Amino acid sequence: MASIFKRSKKKGEVYWFQWKDHEGKRRTEKGFTDRGLTEQAAAKKEEEARLRRLGMIDPEQERFAEQKKTPIKEHMDAFERSLKKNTGKHLKLTLTRVNRIIDECAFTSLSEIKKESVEGCLIEMLEDEEIGHRTYNHYIQAIDSFCNWCVENGRFVVNPLNGLERLNTEVDVRHKRRALNHDELSQLVRSARDSTEEIQCFDGEQRSRIYLLSYLTGLRRKEIASLTVRSFNLDGNPPTLTVEAACSKHRRLDVLPIHPGLVVLVREWTAGMKPSDVLFPKLAKRRTWLMVKKDLERVGIPYETEDGIADFHAAGRHSHITGLMRSGATLPEAQKLARHTDIKQTMKYTHIGIGDQAKAVGNLPLLQMRCIPGVVESPEVSPAVTNSESENETTPDRIEGCVVSCHPVAPGDIMEAAGIEPASRDISMGASTYVVVTLNFASLAPQRQGAKRTSQVLF
């Protein structure tokens, strides 16, 4: 039985009541100034506690129901606090995308978040060409992470967005990029070095150094911007550079080998600098694509072609990975140097054209075929024995033919050289004639009856 009481004797003071919940714990709650209403509230609490003890009310379901009624802003504030451990950029992008979906769908509580509503909102943004397929997936990733966080923290029973499909980004490439070849890269560096114009706060010499470092290491713009003199170990075996985990895209410490030519250049660039000095200050905030575009156009190389654009990421990282493959690196080696977790991602950075394919085919070694008449038997046949070696060996009494000549000759010459009457078939390729003949031995010497009765004459 609940107890009803006042905490003071002042006139108009509210009543309080105490009762035991389903776990047997004593609870105290504020009632009303009217004793009757307070008794009704206390009776309701006792009845709910009794039903919970009997298993007729699920306390967890009740708690989830209460969470769903809570204003969504309170959940978003808690979600934002949980993201503080991530980078500022990740926090800002995630919150911006989640809040935009909430505003577009007019969600006021968690109970209103439905898969159909979120999908409809994103499709509308896609149809209005506000976003592409990749950004569409980023929005799903952001709102999905919020819902998963709600599940982990007891605000949702299950994620209401389970089964929301991502789009295929391969059919909507917004920034198709192309790799620069060796000649184009040389011209780009030379163009920057010879320029007297300052672009994005960097003079020509600085830009040429940035281009070289990007191509020879494959580092991204922000990774290059984080490099200090201390990042390089030029005296190591092999020499290496280190990208700190906070600056690496996959948030891991990366140690990469350095091109021997770059070692010489970095020694020159860092002469007289302190270990903590940054090589290229403020690079992370600069429009590096504009630098590349102007330096390319100065030497007559188009920034955009049908193969794609040649922005900073393409001229550096794409050209680096493609160059590794062209120089003979294996795909696993290129993947390790590119620091990709999936080899499919490395393949996207590899731009192998018809010229590269033709060169690869041309590098195949030619087969060295002898063009002198003779007999070559298959492995199942015993080695050929001449008449001088065995008087018991007889020659075949019937022959039908098959031989491929490796150079153009006249059919009559082959027949005359072989001394046989073949059933022949001419295969003409241009001005050359190749004769194909099959040989079948109808009979063999007695001691060779178990051998395979086939042989080849090679011209």
Side-chain angles (χ1 to χ4, degrees), residues 296-426:
L296 283 176
E297 291 176 346
R298 188 178 296 107
V299 290
I301 299 176
Y303 175 73
E304 183 174 2
T305 67
E306 61 181 10
D307 295 326
I309 62 173
D311 60 2
F312 183 78
H313 197 66
R317 189 164 174 79
H318 282 249
S319 300
H320 171 77
I321 298 173
T322 302
L324 289 174
M325 300 302 295
R326 286 173 176 167
S327 65
T330 64
L331 197 52
E333 289 171 342
Q335 180 192 0
K336 288 291 185 182
L337 290 169
R339 295 163 293 147
H340 289 148
T341 55
D342 189 350
I343 204 164
K344 293 180 181 178
Q345 184 68 12
T346 309
M347 291 298 295
K348 293 179 181 179
Y349 280 77
T350 306
H351 304 270
I352 301 299
I354 189 66
D356 300 295
Q357 297 171 40
K359 183 178 179 181
V361 171
N363 286 335
L364 287 173
L366 289 175
L367 297 178
Q368 301 298 319
M369 294 187 293
R370 293 169 54 191
C371 299
I372 304 173
V375 176
V376 180
E377 296 185 341
S378 58
E380 293 83 3
V381 184
S382 301
V385 182
T386 63
N387 289 334
S388 60
E389 294 172 329
S390 174
E391 295 180 356
N392 295 326
E393 186 70 27
T394 62
T395 57
D397 57 3
R398 184 167 55 85
I399 297 176
E400 301 176 58
C402 188
V403 171
V404 179
S405 67
C406 64
H407 64 284
V409 293
D413 294 340
I414 296 178
M415 300 305 107
E416 183 179 353
I420 60 177
E421 294 292 335
S424 65
R425 178 165 55 92
D426 291 350

Side-chain angles (χ1 to χ4, degrees), residues 196-266:
T196 57
E197 181 183 4
E198 189 174 277
I199 306 175
Q200 294 293 297
C201 299
F202 292 107
D203 59 30
E205 178 60 30
Q206 288 175 313
R207 296 199 305 276
S208 69
R209 294 179 180 183
I210 293 171
Y211 298 154
L212 280 170
L213 189 58
S214 175
Y215 168 65
L216 292 175
T217 62
L219 295 183
R220 303 171 179 90
R221 171 171 55 94
K222 290 189 177 181
E223 292 171 339
I224 295 176
S226 70
L227 295 178
T228 64
V229 177
R230 191 181 289 113
S231 302
F232 295 89
N233 179 14
L234 304 180
D235 297 320
N237 185 23
T240 60
L241 69 82
T242 302
V243 180
E244 299 296 332
C247 305
S248 175
K249 186 176 181 179
H250 56 191
R251 297 292 176 262
R252 292 199 299 268
L253 185 74
D254 293 318
V255 180
L256 299 172
I258 308 178
H259 190 284
L262 185 60
V263 173
V264 178
L265 293 173
V266 172

Side-chain angles (χ1 to χ4, degrees), residues 76-316:
M76 283 300 299
D77 291 341
F79 179 57
E80 181 178 355
R81 288 192 293 272
S82 73
L83 293 176
K84 294 290 185 181
K85 58 189 175 184
N86 297 293
T87 62
K89 180 181 178 181
H90 175 78
L91 186 149
K92 182 180 178 180
L93 284 175
T94 302
L95 293 179
T96 299
R97 288 164 179 163
V98 175
N99 282 322
R100 181 174 181 184
I101 292 175
I102 290 173
D103 293 341
E104 293 283 345
C105 297
F107 295 147
T108 58
S109 64
L110 293 181
S111 60
E112 297 177 355
I113 298 180
K114 305 293 182 185
K115 182 172 70 173
E116 295 79 7
S117 301
V118 174
E119 188 173 34
C121 168
L122 293 176
I123 289 177
E124 186 176 340
M125 293 164 59
L126 189 68
E127 290 175 346
D128 293 341
E129 296 186 353
E130 295 182 41
I131 60 174
H133 289 199
R134 189 180 298 276
T135 307
Y136 179 100
N137 292 345
H138 288 163
Y139 271 90
I140 292 180
Q141 183 180 357
I143 190 70
D144 194 50
S145 67
F146 169 66
C147 292
N148 284 332
W149 174 84
C150 289
V151 172
E152 293 169 0
N153 289 272
R155 300 166 191 256
F156 266 144
V157 179
V158 294
N159 185 342
L161 302 183
N162 282 341
L164 187 57
E165 294 183 356
R166 271 66 166 171
L167 297 181
N168 183 4
T169 58
E170 297 295 332
V171 299
D172 182 59
V173 181
R174 292 301 178 97
H175 295 288
K176 184 181 178 182
R177 293 183 169 96
R178 77 178 195 275
L180 299 181
N181 59 39
H182 182 269
D183 182 59
E184 290 173 325
L185 285 165
S186 299
Q187 291 187 61
L188 173 63
V189 173
R190 192 180 305 114
S191 172
R193 186 169 291 160
D194 295 342
S195 172
T196 57
E197 181 183 4
E198 189 174 277
I199 306 175
Q200 294 293 297
C201 299
F202 292 107
D203 59 30
E205 178 60 30
Q206 288 175 313
R207 296 199 305 276
S208 69
R209 294 179 180 183
I210 293 171
Y211 298 154
L212 280 170
L213 189 58
S214 175
Y215 168 65
L216 292 175
T217 62
L219 295 183
R220 303 171 179 90
R221 171 171 55 94
K222 290 189 177 181
E223 292 171 339
I224 295 176
S226 70
L227 295 178
T228 64
V229 177
R230 191 181 289 113
S231 302
F232 295 89
N233 179 14
L234 304 180
D235 297 320
N237 185 23
T240 60
L241 69 82
T242 302
V243 180
E244 299 296 332
C247 305
S248 175
K249 186 176 181 179
H250 56 191
R251 297 292 176 262
R252 292 199 299 268
L253 185 74
D254 293 318
V255 180
L256 299 172
I258 308 178
H259 190 284
L262 185 60
V263 173
V264 178
L265 293 173
V266 172
R267 287 190 190 279
E268 178 185 337
W269 297 345
T270 58
M273 296 177 65
K274 298 178 182 178
S276 59
D277 287 348
V278 178
L279 266 68
F280 307 105
K282 302 180 180 179
L283 178 64
K285 301 293 184 181
R286 300 306 174 195
R287 293 185 294 173
T288 48
W289 65 268
L290 183 60
M291 294 164 37
V292 176
K293 182 179 181 180
K294 289 189 174 183
D295 285 327
L296 283 176
E297 291 176 346
R298 188 178 296 107
V299 290
I301 299 176
Y303 175 73
E304 183 174 2
T305 67
E306 61 181 10
D307 295 326
I309 62 173
D311 60 2
F312 183 78
H313 197 66

Side-chain angles (χ1 to χ4, degrees), residues 1-68:
M1 182 68 182
S3 60
I4 311 296
F5 61 93
K6 282 187 176 182
R7 289 185 172 178
S8 71
K9 295 181 178 181
K10 291 181 181 180
K11 188 177 181 179
E13 185 69 23
V14 298
Y15 286 93
W16 293 75
F17 62 93
Q18 288 184 341
W19 85 103
K20 288 184 179 180
D21 63 14
H22 62 287
E23 295 177 344
K25 295 180 181 179
R26 195 159 193 82
R27 304 286 184 180
T28 302
E29 193 165 331
K30 189 176 182 180
F32 306 93
T33 55
D34 185 275
R35 183 181 178 88
L37 291 175
T38 304
E39 288 176 348
Q40 291 179 25
K44 181 182 178 182
K45 291 291 184 182
E46 287 186 320
E47 178 63 15
E48 289 176 350
R50 185 181 71 82
L51 293 175
R52 290 190 186 98
R53 284 194 295 270
L54 295 174
M56 301 178 69
I57 294 179
D58 187 352
E60 284 297 309
Q61 292 293 338
E62 278 195 315
R63 187 171 65 82
F64 284 126
E66 288 297 323
Q67 290 284 359
K68 285 186 175 182

